[in-house]
Amino acid sequence: MVEVRRVLVLGGTAEARELAARLGGEPAVHVISSLAGRVRDPRLPDGEVRIGGFGGADGLAAWLRAERIDEVVDATHPFAAAMTANAVRACALAGLPLLVLRRPGWEPEPHWHLVDSLDEAAAALPGLGERIFLSTGRQGVHRFAHLDLRFLVRAVDPPEPPLPPRTELLLARGPFAFDDEVALLREHRIDVLVTKDSGGPMTRPKLDAARLLGVAVVLVRRPPEPPVPVVETVAAAVARLRHAG
């Protein structure tokens, strides 16, 4: 009888969905994907799915033990720092291996303004332009609420107030094509693009459109990676999990 390994994938990204699909085809692996539940209508991965929080690192550790999980893969968004920190501590408490799957970040370009937080991004804006395309997701928009600039905010779900006084909200889910991003920046006469270093090709077109149109870019750097093994591709994650098994 083949022993089945139980793998928890902390997901919410395209890489997490691809990993769940790849591992789902492995006869000796049972995958459970976990989503935080912050998006109203998330794209669900293949296989078993759990939605909602665990109650911090201690709650996650207890869940890992109760569900007899053998390995954990953190394939969350590069800016999900709190979830990653909880995963590191929970796996240490439960005595389980943790692998981080993180797509590589973008190579900075000379005209980009690199900052370490949304607060720093907000502080940089008054000297850069008047019409801001804020593409940082629904969380953290309140960091810009004190600025009397024109904001176009794009998110999957509406952000919670407070919002900047002059805000236009665009609810949309990517990926977005290059030509569409160019048209959007032109239509709204955008001066500055504010975004996070999410990395990968899916959200890259807005940066390429900004370069074409001479739009300034304020890019929020990623938080540091945790002191655990990190891979950049789904193929590398699958290979590492196979080797571990």
Side-chain angles (χ1 to χ4, degrees), residues 43 173-177 201-203:
R43 292 172 176 164
R173 189 196 299 269
F176 303 100
M202 292 181 63
T203 54

Side-chain angles (χ1 to χ4, degrees), residues 38-127:
R38 295 194 179 116
V39 177
R40 291 180 182 176
D41 185 25
R43 292 172 176 164
L44 297 179
D46 294 344
E48 184 176 345
V49 179
R50 181 192 183 281
I51 297 179
F54 293 93
D58 291 341
L60 175 55
W63 187 92
L64 293 173
R65 296 188 192 101
E67 295 295 323
R68 308 185 316 279
I69 299 300
D70 297 298
E71 296 164 89
V72 180
V73 180
D74 174 10
T76 57
H77 191 274
F79 284 82
M83 185 66 248
T84 295
N86 283 341
V88 171
R89 174 165 168 73
C91 286
L93 290 172
L96 296 178
L98 172 64
L99 176 67
V100 172
L101 168 57
R102 197 77 84 226
R103 73 185 78 122
W106 294 310
E107 189 68 27
E109 298 186 10
H111 66 287
W112 291 0
H113 302 265
L114 303 179
V115 297
D116 290 319
S117 68
L118 292 178
D119 288 331
E120 287 189 17
L125 290 181

Side-chain angles (χ1 to χ4, degrees), residues 124-204:
L125 290 181
L128 293 177
E130 293 290 329
R131 297 175 179 273
I132 317 300
F133 178 26
L134 189 58
S135 179
T136 57
R138 64 186 292 267
Q139 299 184 47
V141 177
H142 66 281
R143 301 291 187 184
F144 301 84
H146 63 287
L147 295 175
D148 188 22
L149 302 171
R150 292 187 179 274
F151 281 86
L152 173 65
V153 176
R154 183 167 70 188
V156 176
D157 294 321
E160 296 182 359
L163 304 180
R166 294 190 287 168
T167 295
E168 180 177 348
L169 184 60
L170 175 61
L171 298 181
R173 189 196 299 269
F176 303 100
F178 170 73
D179 289 344
D180 294 334
E181 297 290 63
V182 171
L184 182 71
L185 296 181
R186 281 178 171 157
E187 177 187 352
H188 293 272
R189 293 182 290 155
I190 296 299
D191 301 312
V192 187
L193 164 66
V194 180
T195 191
K196 296 177 178 179
D197 184 11
S198 300
M202 292 181 63
T203 54
R204 175 76 204 199

